[in-house]
Amino acid sequence: MRMSQKPWLKYPARIYISFMRGVPMLVVLFILYFGLPYVGIQIPALLCAIIGFSTVSAAYMAEIFRSSISAVDKGQWEAAQSLGLPQKPIIHHIILPQALCIAVAPLAMSLSIWLRVPHWQLWLQCLTFSKTQKLLVGVSMTTCLCIF
């Protein structure tokens, strides 16, 4: 969508991708888990982690595919057009297979980021536990020793 000529698709996609790539993952998880209850939306920690990782990784994936399509040589487009092919077959049969080959390395890197997802989800669970502990201390005015 960021490569679209239509401004109503291009500019929201650009804003979304720039914002989600610029905000750290932990901030997105904090906003989803600790910020949404202030608005009245309660979401479990696992669902917050899934939504957070999906929105952030979608921005990265969109940028990976946009850059891989842009990396295909302009001569490929021109050669296909000179053969008289319509736009859709040019994209599906010539440009996208080459773009997917170019996108393999960045996609492998993003897979390594996804393999660290349990670490972030565990971090969110620990923060949930500490928030619950602070609430209990505030109510009972006693502290408890927690062993992990």
Side-chain angles (χ1 to χ4, degrees), residues 75-86 89-90 94:
Q76 298 291 331
W77 290 89
E78 294 169 356
Q81 288 172 346
S82 69
L83 291 173
L85 290 174
I90 290 174
I94 296 171

Side-chain angles (χ1 to χ4, degrees), residues 49-76:
I50 291 170
I51 291 171
F53 288 117
S54 298
T55 55
V56 171
S57 67
Y60 279 100
M61 294 291 169
E63 195 62 22
I64 287 170
F65 286 119
R66 184 206 58 82
S67 63
S68 65
I69 289 171
S70 297
V72 174
D73 189 28
K74 192 172 180 106
Q76 298 291 331

Side-chain angles (χ1 to χ4, degrees), residues 12 19 21-22 30-31 50 53 62 70 72 75 80 88 107 116 122:
F19 180 76
R21 288 183 69 206
F30 276 9
I31 290 171
I50 291 170
F53 288 117
S70 297
V72 174
K88 217 176 220 183
L107 288 174
R116 291 182 269 171
L122 179 66

Side-chain angles (χ1 to χ4, degrees), residues 1-94:
M1 286 194 311
R2 193 170 164 194
M3 295 177 69
S4 175
Q5 299 299 323
K6 298 174 179 136
W8 55 275
L9 285 175
K10 183 178 188 175
Y11 295 116
R14 180 178 287 177
I15 291 169
Y16 169 74
I17 291 170
S18 297
F19 180 76
M20 292 312 270
R21 288 183 69 206
V23 175
M25 179 74 71
L26 194 57
V27 172
V28 172
L29 292 176
F30 276 9
I31 290 171
L32 287 173
Y33 192 73
F34 295 118
L36 288 181
Y38 286 112
V39 186
I41 302 171
Q42 291 285 348
I43 299 177
L46 181 63
L47 187 59
C48 282
I50 291 170
I51 291 171
F53 288 117
S54 298
T55 55
V56 171
S57 67
Y60 279 100
M61 294 291 169
E63 195 62 22
I64 287 170
F65 286 119
R66 184 206 58 82
S67 63
S68 65
I69 289 171
S70 297
V72 174
D73 189 28
K74 192 172 180 106
Q76 298 291 331
W77 290 89
E78 294 169 356
Q81 288 172 346
S82 69
L83 291 173
L85 290 174
Q87 187 73 17
K88 217 176 220 183
I90 290 174
I91 292 173
H92 287 198
H93 299 295
I94 296 171

